């Protein structure tokens, strides 16, 4: 009887070890694509009162956290836009009008987007554009 219990216990351990050793299918990798529709890289803005910011953030699975920042060149503390979005949709469309007339002609700006690829934000996709006032 002792041998039977021993072999039964050994079989349970062996089956458990084999079952846990099976490879699990990898989860699909979430890919984020950031597209600046407006303003475009290197664009010169002629109407400072009506600057249209249009950004599309598209994920193959879902978006998590997205940060959008607009600031003048050389002054990251002067945040004209500082938007944090937490949306799990696959597509995020950001549209906003911005008045930049308080800045002198020729001022250049940086528009930056940082999107978390995963929920814990261990991996990020970033993209930025620079544009200037006429």
């Amino acid at each position: 009887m002792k041998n039977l219990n021993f072999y039964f216990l050994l079989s349970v351990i062996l089956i458990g070890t084999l079952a846990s050793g099976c490879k699990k299918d990898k989860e699909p990798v979430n890919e984020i694509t950031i597209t600046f529709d407006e303003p475009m890289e290197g664009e010169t803005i002629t109407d400072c009162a009506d600057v249209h910011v249009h950004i599309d953030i598209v994920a193959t699975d879902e978006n998590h956290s997205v940060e959008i920042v607009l600031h003048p060149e050389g002054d990251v503390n002067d945040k004209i836009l500082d938007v944090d979005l937490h949306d799990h949709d696959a597509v995020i469309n950001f549209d906003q009008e911005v008045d930049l007339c308080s800045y002198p002609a020729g001022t250049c700006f940086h528009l930056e987007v940082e999107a978390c690829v995963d929920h814990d934000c261990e991996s990020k996709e970033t993209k930025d554009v620079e544009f200037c006032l006429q």
Side-chain angles (χ1 to χ4, degrees):
M1 188 65 153
K2 285 183 182 180
N3 284 344
L4 185 60
N5 285 339
F6 173 75
Y7 287 118
F8 176 75
L9 181 61
L10 184 61
S11 297
V12 169
I13 291 172
L14 182 60
I15 290 170
T17 302
L18 290 174
S20 67
C22 293
K23 291 184 179 179
K24 294 182 180 179
D25 292 335
K26 290 184 179 180
E27 291 185 26
V29 176
N30 190 31
E31 294 180 16
I32 307 283
T33 303
I34 301 168
T35 305
F36 291 95
D37 296 318
E38 294 181 82
M40 302 295 290
E41 173 65 36
E43 183 176 354
T44 300
I45 304 295
T46 56
D47 184 3
C48 64
D50 189 26
V51 179
H52 187 79
V53 176
H54 181 191
I55 307 165
D56 296 320
I57 303 105
V58 180
T60 55
D61 183 28
E62 67 178 343
N63 278 292
H64 297 282
S65 181
V66 175
E67 182 178 0
I68 300 169
V69 176
L70 172 63
H71 62 84
E73 182 177 0
D75 191 358
V76 295
N77 294 319
D78 183 6
K79 295 180 180 175
I80 302 156
L81 287 176
D82 188 8
V83 179
D84 289 313
L85 304 170
H86 191 81
D87 194 338
H88 290 279
D89 291 338
V91 177
I92 297 174
N93 297 304
F94 179 82
D95 282 302
Q96 188 166 332
E97 302 296 326
V98 180
D99 183 346
L100 299 176
C101 290
S102 63
Y103 296 92
T107 301
C108 293
F109 300 89
H110 288 274
L111 179 59
E112 304 161 355
V113 177
E114 182 177 88
C116 295
V117 174
D118 53 43
H119 190 69
D120 296 329
C121 211
E122 292 176 1
S123 180
K124 299 176 184 178
E125 184 68 33
T126 60
K127 195 167 182 182
D128 63 279
V129 295
E130 180 179 306
F131 63 95
C132 301
L133 297 178
Q134 184 174 18

